[in-house]
């Protein structure tokens, strides 16, 4: 089965700086990679995703890059704001259907005002 | 906010008891998946339901079971509760043809 590793486990940045979270996966057949943001007391919220036929995707201050050869993908947050503070999870598919997922262990991001 | 709702919000049970958690999918979605999230960990896939049948199961014993109803709502049942079952239980809905999964707020289960 798929194995997803996520680093770092904690990350502190000054407001306005960039944050980068990295994940690796093991199954070369995996073709869809979502990122979730989980705030305290809430369920995970899908913030961005990428499919294996593209190398990068951006949505305002958030971007995701994918390196299929190295089997890793990264979340980039620019111009961080205090409301970006949360736990972020990456995920990779458990099946060909791509709608059942293995999750990383999470990165707790703190943005210091 | 997604359109996925879960009930109850919190639940306390004792070891050996049984529990039923409920989920209402986002309108238009036809799959429902359940995940277990232990404190400080990522969600772990329990199983998925589509067309009222189980479609895929993670590494969870048979005492974890579920149902999906014709209106696409779902239940997660756990028998013979163990202390390690204490966790946040998340429901996610989506489309059979599609990747995106949208999570509800979860049910916090505490087993004493």
């Amino acid at each position: 089965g798929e194995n997803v590793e996520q680093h770092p486990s904690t990350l502190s940045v000054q407001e306005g700086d960039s944050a980068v979270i990295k994940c690796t996966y093991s199954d070369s057949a995996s073709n869809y990679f979502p990122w979730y943001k989980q705030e305290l007391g809430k369920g995970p919220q899908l913030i961005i995703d990428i499919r294996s036929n593209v190398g990068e995707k951006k949505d305002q201050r958030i971007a995701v890059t994918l390196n299929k050869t190295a089997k890793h993908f990264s979340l980039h947050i620019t111009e961080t704001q205090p409301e970006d503070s949360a736990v972020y999870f990456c995920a990779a598919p458990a099946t060909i259907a791509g709608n059942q997922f293995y999750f990383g262990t999470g990165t707790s991001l703190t943005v210091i005002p | 906010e997604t359109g996925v709702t879960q009930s109850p919000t919190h639940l306390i049970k004792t070891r050996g008891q049984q529990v039923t958690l409920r989920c209402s999918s986002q309108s238009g979605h036809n799959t429902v998946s359940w995940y277990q999230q232990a404190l400080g960990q990522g969600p772990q896939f329990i199983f998925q339901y589509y067309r009222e049948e189980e479609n895929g199961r993670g590494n969870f014993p048979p005492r974890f079971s579920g149902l999906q109803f014709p209106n696409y709502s779902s239940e997660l049942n756990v028998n013979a509760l163990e202390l390690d079952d204490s966790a946040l239980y998340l429901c996610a809905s989506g489309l059979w043809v599609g990747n995106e999964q949208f999570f509800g707020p979860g049910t916090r289960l505490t087993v004493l």
Side-chain angles (χ1 to χ4, degrees):
Chain A
E2 180 67 272
N3 183 38
V4 180
E5 295 189 359
Q6 182 173 348
H7 301 280
S9 57
T10 60
L11 181 60
S12 292
V13 299
Q14 290 292 136
E15 183 176 357
D17 287 350
S18 296
V20 181
I21 302 170
K22 299 181 179 180
C23 285
T24 61
Y25 61 98
S26 59
D27 188 349
S28 57
S30 292
N31 58 5
Y32 171 76
F33 304 92
W35 284 91
Y36 287 86
K37 174 184 182 182
Q38 187 173 28
E39 296 175 311
L40 200 62
K42 297 186 177 181
Q45 174 195 0
L46 180 65
I47 56 171
I48 197 167
D49 54 19
I50 191 167
R51 301 182 192 280
S52 58
N53 59 346
V54 298
E56 184 175 5
K57 181 178 178 180
K58 289 183 180 179
D59 182 3
Q60 300 182 5
R61 297 186 295 107
I62 294 174
V64 55
T65 58
L66 172 64
N67 183 326
K68 286 189 295 182
T69 303
K71 290 190 278 189
H72 67 70
F73 55 112
S74 300
L75 177 70
H76 304 254
I77 306 174
T78 59
E79 301 173 22
T80 53
Q81 301 169 2
E83 52 265 38
D84 294 330
S85 296
V87 180
Y88 291 81
F89 293 97
C90 62
T95 64
I96 296 290
N99 57 14
Q100 302 165 15
F101 294 96
Y102 290 106
F103 280 77
T105 49
T107 296
S108 178
L109 173 65
T110 302
V111 179
I112 304 166
Chain B
E1 295 291 333
T2 70
V4 182
T5 61
Q6 291 186 244
S7 63
T9 305
H10 297 89
L11 203 52
I12 299 175
K13 292 285 188 178
T14 56
R15 196 169 41 181
Q17 284 189 312
Q18 178 266 343
V19 68
T20 297
L21 310 181
R22 294 178 174 81
C23 170
S24 180
S25 300
Q26 184 169 312
S27 178
H29 286 176
N30 54 18
T31 69
V32 62
S33 302
W34 286 91
Y35 288 79
Q36 179 194 67
Q37 186 177 23
L39 203 60
Q41 299 295 317
Q44 301 253 334
F45 176 70
I46 303 174
F47 45 55
Q48 182 185 73
Y49 275 80
Y50 171 62
R51 289 184 175 177
E52 302 175 45
E53 292 190 356
E54 186 179 295
N55 173 62
R57 172 181 279 262
N59 189 26
F60 282 83
R63 59 188 185 86
F64 286 78
S65 63
L67 288 172
Q68 184 187 31
F69 300 101
N71 65 355
Y72 304 116
S73 65
S74 177
E75 287 181 357
L76 165 66
N77 298 288
V78 187
N79 294 322
L81 284 168
E82 302 176 359
L83 297 179
D84 285 349
D85 295 334
S86 294
L88 181 68
Y89 287 86
L90 296 161
C91 163
S93 73
L95 293 173
W96 176 247
V97 181
N99 300 115
E100 293 85 355
Q101 296 289 292
F102 298 93
F103 284 86
T107 293
R108 172 72 61 188
L109 173 65
T110 301
V111 182
L112 301 176

